[in-house]
């Protein structure tokens, strides 16, 4: 069901008036989870709709992000004791099993988009398969995860990057977020080939890091890599950080921290964070990539955990406060209640006029982390 123009106008007016949220963290988290549930229910297959578009309505299921939404739902089920979210997560995992290619890979893009198999998408689905396995001990999930991991290793270049089966057929430093699930696969299986593949990629990624923490090749395209979205900048940093934490590689953690320190320097005190940055950490755009904001908040919260440096926690809280004010938890329109838009203003360059499922997923993750640290 498509939203009408009058509803769009009314919604935007209400959002521009909104400065801060007076609702609790639990209300924001629950609203986000319920919207993600509606995104799953909007499709007939058990996957999660890629987005709700103000122009096109709900769209097809997206294998990639469904893969990493699975851990969020399993975590929320544990926190609340609500088994329905565990059931939803396992339904997502079953769907992923049903669409895996014979060689272990997964197709990119939303279902039926015609996009071929992709390295990044395959890596993200491993997250969900591993969580489903650890939740159920069902061997089908670990078998599928290993098959996906083996395919990733088979198509990995000698220098650790991936140049085939990649978006626009170029290497991306945000593939550090593919190295991370390979490292997780190693931890579960103890098969060193996955560790070797993960480390090879992270080393290549770090060879692309400048002294100020900025990463080359972090964009979707060669042109976009000159000033990539904070979405892919954060993908890159988090992959390095999580691999470092998982493998106890301090050099990786230090590299992520170098980037995070620069980001802390440029975050607006009110929480506004530009959507794209160039190699000098300067921006010429006029929108905020809300997805990247949420991802960056998670990075800062993870760094707070490993360093106990309060500046990271405070920076994350500033970003989350801004994001909470962008989430409408009271509108009667269920298509957008609890969702986070791709950009702010919503007509910004990233995921224009839409609510991609990963924006809300990362927001929920960030809010859960913030609440856990505040409650501990």
């Amino acid at each position: 069901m498509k939203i009408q123009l009058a509803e769009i106008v009314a919604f935007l007016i209400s959002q521009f008036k909104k400065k801060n949220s007076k609702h609790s963290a639990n209300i924001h988290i629950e609203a986000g989870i319920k919207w993600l549930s509606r995104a799953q229910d909007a499709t007939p297959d058990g996957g999660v709709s890629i987005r709700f578009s103000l122009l096109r309505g709900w769209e097809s299921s997206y294998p990639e992000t469904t893969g990493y939404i699975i851990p969020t739902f399993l975590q929320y089920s544990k926190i609340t004791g609500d088994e329905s979210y565990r059931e939803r997560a396992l339904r997502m995992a079953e769907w992923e099993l049903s669409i895996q290619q014979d060689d272990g890979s997964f197709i990119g893009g939303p279902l039926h988009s015609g996009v071929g198999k992709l390295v990044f998408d395959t890596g993200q689905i491993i997250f969900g398969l591993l969580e489903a396995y650890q939740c159920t001990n069902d061997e089908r999930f670990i078998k599928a995860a290993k098959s996906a991991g083996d395919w990733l290793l088979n198509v990995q270049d000698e220098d650790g990057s991936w140049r085939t089966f990649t978006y626009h057929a170029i290497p991306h430093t945000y593939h550090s977020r593919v190295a991370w699930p390979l490292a997780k696969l190693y931890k579960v299986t103890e098969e060193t080939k996955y560790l070797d593949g993960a480390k090879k990629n992270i080393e290549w990624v770090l060879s692309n890091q400048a002294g100020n923490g900025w990463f080359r090749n972090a964009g979707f395209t060669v042109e976009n890599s000159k000033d990539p979205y904070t979405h892919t900048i954060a993908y890159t940093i988090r992959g390095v950080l999580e691999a470092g934490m998982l493998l106890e590689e301090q050099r990786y953690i230090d590299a992520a921290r170098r980037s995070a320190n620069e980001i802390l320097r440029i975050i607006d005190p009110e929480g506004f964070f530009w959507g794209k940055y160039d190699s000098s950490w300067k921006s010429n755009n006029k929108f905020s990539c809300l997805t990247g904001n949420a991802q960056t908040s998670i990075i800062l919260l993870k760094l707070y955990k490993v360093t106990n440096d309060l500046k990271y926690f405070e920076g994350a809280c500033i970003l989350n406060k801004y994001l909470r004010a962008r989430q409408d938890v009271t509108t009667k329109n269920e298509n957008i209640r609890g969702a986070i838009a791709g950009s702010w203003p919503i007509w910004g360059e990233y995921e224009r006029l839409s609510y991609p499922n990963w924006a809300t997923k990362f927001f929920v993750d960030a809010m859960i982390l913030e609440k856990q640290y505040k409650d501990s």
Side-chain angles (χ1 to χ4, degrees), residues 122-369:
T122 299
Q124 306 321 292
I125 293 167
I126 290 176
F127 285 118
L129 295 173
L130 288 177
E131 290 291 332
Y133 169 67
Q134 293 176 317
C135 174
T136 64
N137 289 318
D138 188 330
E139 292 292 328
R140 294 177 304 145
F141 294 122
I142 189 61
K143 181 180 178 181
K146 289 174 64 176
S147 181
D150 290 343
W151 180 78
L152 290 172
L153 296 181
N154 287 336
V155 299
Q156 188 176 27
D157 286 3
E158 188 60 34
D159 65 359
S161 69
W162 282 275
R163 290 178 173 80
T164 55
F165 303 108
T166 62
Y167 196 53
H168 287 276
I170 58 174
H172 306 279
T173 47
Y174 63 72
H175 281 150
S176 63
R177 204 181 149 93
V178 177
W180 171 21
L182 284 176
K184 287 178 72 72
L185 193 54
Y186 159 69
K187 284 291 187 177
V188 174
T189 66
E190 297 185 343
E191 295 186 29
T192 57
K193 61 183 178 181
Y194 302 122
L195 172 64
D196 294 341
K199 283 190 168 183
K200 280 175 63 177
N201 179 255
I202 297 296
E203 293 297 337
W204 176 80
V205 171
L206 295 187
S207 74
N208 281 272
Q209 188 181 35
N212 66 352
W214 193 82
F215 287 94
R216 297 183 295 275
N217 300 305
F220 288 123
T221 65
V222 172
E223 185 63 26
N224 177 231
S225 288
K226 295 177 182 177
D227 58 341
Y229 296 115
T230 54
H231 170 50
T232 52
I233 292 173
Y235 264 160
T236 305
I237 299 168
R238 189 172 179 197
V240 172
L241 174 61
E242 294 280 4
M245 293 170 65
L246 198 61
L247 302 177
E248 298 182 355
E249 289 280 357
Q250 188 62 45
R251 191 161 55 88
Y252 298 174
I253 296 171
D254 291 343
R257 192 174 184 180
R258 187 156 56 247
S259 302
N261 288 342
E262 288 295 321
I263 287 171
L264 283 177
R265 183 179 58 80
I266 57 179
I267 292 175
D268 184 278
E270 296 299 316
F272 189 85
F273 191 36
W274 294 116
K276 299 168 75 174
Y277 286 92
D278 65 18
S279 61
S280 298
W281 292 104
K282 294 180 180 178
S283 181
N284 293 317
N285 60 85
K286 301 297 181 184
F287 72 98
S288 183
C289 174
L290 300 184
T291 312
N293 293 12
Q295 292 171 264
T296 301
S297 170
I298 295 169
I299 291 166
L300 297 176
L301 288 165
K302 294 275 185 174
L303 280 170
Y304 170 65
K305 180 180 181 180
V306 297
T307 67
N308 206 34
D309 190 331
L310 197 58
K311 70 182 180 184
Y312 297 118
F313 182 75
E314 292 171 344
C317 289
I318 289 171
L319 288 172
N320 287 347
K321 180 181 179 182
Y322 181 84
L323 286 166
R324 288 195 299 273
R326 307 279 79 76
Q327 183 199 38
D328 194 327
V329 299
T330 61
T331 177
K332 294 180 180 179
N333 191 318
E334 293 191 344
N335 294 321
I336 57 180
R337 187 172 66 243
I340 298 291
S343 292
W344 191 261
I346 200 168
W347 55 80
E349 183 179 323
Y350 182 74
E351 285 287 317
R352 181 171 285 131
L353 297 175
S354 70
Y355 299 82
N357 65 37
W358 55 98
T360 302
K361 174 265 188 318
F362 287 124
F363 170 72
V364 168
D365 289 348
M367 287 302 305
I368 288 175
L369 270 179

Side-chain angles (χ1 to χ4, degrees), residues 80-93:
T80 62
D82 191 332
E83 282 291 303
S84 69
Y85 294 106
R86 178 181 183 275
E87 293 167 4
R88 282 184 174 278
L90 295 180
R91 194 158 72 240
M92 296 176 202

